[in-house]
Amino acid sequence: SQTIHQWPATLVQPVGSPLSLECTVEGTSNPNLYWYRQAAGRGLQLLFYSVGIGQISSEVPQNLSASRPQDRQFILSSKKLLLSDSGFYLCAWRAGGGNSPLHFGNGTRLTVT
Amino acid sequence: RKEVEQDPGPFNVPEGATVAFNCTYSNSASQSFFWYRQDCRKEPKLLMSVYSSGNEDGRFTAQLNRASQYISLLIRDSKLSDSATYLCVVNESRGSTLGRLYFGRGTQLTVWP
């Protein structure tokens, strides 16, 4: 069966520090991968998605970036965090094909201080 | 106009009650539909897909009305453990294999003893 791992679960970082969140998927090949952010009391905001290695689409311009160095690995990064980057970051995957559901990782709760 | 709209609630119901949520979507080309549940400070989890003919999973029934562009979720015999936020998700096809997913903001349900 397919599983998705995301780490760390919680993170407290000072303003201006770098960020690296990692996500890996097991049990499937060539998944579509996503990074979402959910601010407190808000809906899910799509940040990036990827349909293949090295292919990244950005949905919202900001100081975050994403990379997909391997088929089942998706990384969210920032060179300098802002206070507004605080939130709940969720990695997700789904199988190719337009009608498959999304499966989320456990999420990373980031607090920028 | 938002692609997916939900009544945010909150819905507060006693145990054993029947409760229904609706969700409307704006794009008539939308192809697949899902309900997710999200517990406080957790990731969203797939509750059920929604099929054109309607589908049932235990106490949960999902229905789709393409003509009016809404989907619904009915929960019968509510349990305390049903307390969560329910997210409506619509997959919009644009002729590619990767449909765009749109999330509602969620409907909050609290079941009290």
Side-chain angles (χ1 to χ4, degrees):
Chain A
S1 63
Q2 302 89 359
T3 56
I4 178 169
H5 303 281
Q6 185 181 342
W7 66 93
T10 59
L11 195 57
V12 180
Q13 293 282 104
V15 168
S17 64
L19 172 74
S20 181
L21 303 180
E22 190 163 341
C23 171
T24 59
V25 180
E26 296 177 358
T28 186
S29 297
N30 197 31
N32 298 314
L33 297 173
Y34 302 77
W35 279 110
Y36 284 86
R37 177 171 61 199
Q38 189 174 38
R42 306 287 294 276
L44 285 162
Q45 179 187 33
L46 178 62
L47 302 176
F48 301 95
Y49 68 91
S50 170
V51 299
I53 295 174
Q55 299 178 62
I56 309 294
S57 296
S58 174
E59 287 292 306
V60 182
Q62 52 203 310
N63 68 320
L64 299 172
S65 62
S67 62
R68 184 170 177 174
Q70 300 181 46
D71 181 43
R72 290 170 288 176
Q73 184 184 27
F74 206 22
I75 298 171
L76 182 69
S77 304
S78 174
K79 292 182 179 178
K80 288 186 178 182
L81 285 168
L82 306 172
L83 285 175
S84 58
D85 291 325
S86 293
F88 190 40
Y89 288 82
L90 290 155
C91 180
W93 77 274
R94 64 170 168 155
N99 294 329
S100 51
L102 207 57
H103 302 280
F104 289 90
N106 292 340
T108 296
R109 194 159 301 279
L110 171 67
T111 303
V112 182
T113 60
Chain B
R1 182 182 176 185
K2 293 183 180 177
E3 288 82 6
V4 179
E5 298 208 52
Q6 287 183 256
D7 181 347
F11 286 67
N12 297 304
V13 302
E15 269 189 296
T18 295
V19 61
F21 309 135
N22 284 332
C23 167
T24 59
Y25 59 95
S26 60
N27 189 340
S28 59
S30 299
Q31 289 205 339
S32 52
F33 310 87
F34 309 95
W35 282 103
Y36 282 73
R37 96 169 250 163
Q38 185 174 23
D39 294 293
C40 187
R41 300 177 69 82
K42 297 285 189 179
E43 76 278 18
K45 292 185 178 178
L46 178 66
L47 180 65
M48 57 197 303
S49 301
V50 186
Y51 302 120
S52 297
S53 56
N55 48 299
E56 190 174 303
D57 183 1
R59 297 181 294 108
F60 299 84
T61 301
Q63 291 192 314
L64 166 64
N65 185 319
R66 286 192 183 273
S68 301
Q69 294 182 206
Y70 77 83
I71 67 172
S72 63
L73 177 67
L74 181 77
I75 305 175
R76 291 183 301 278
D77 188 23
S78 298
K79 310 291 184 190
L80 295 177
S81 57
D82 293 334
S83 297
T85 297
Y86 290 83
L87 304 172
C88 166
V89 182
V90 174
N91 184 41
E92 179 182 283
S93 172
R94 291 181 177 174
S96 67
T97 56
L98 181 63
R100 174 68 188 266
L101 289 161
Y102 290 95
F103 283 79
R105 292 283 296 272
T107 298
Q108 186 180 341
L109 170 67
T110 300
V111 181
W112 46 271

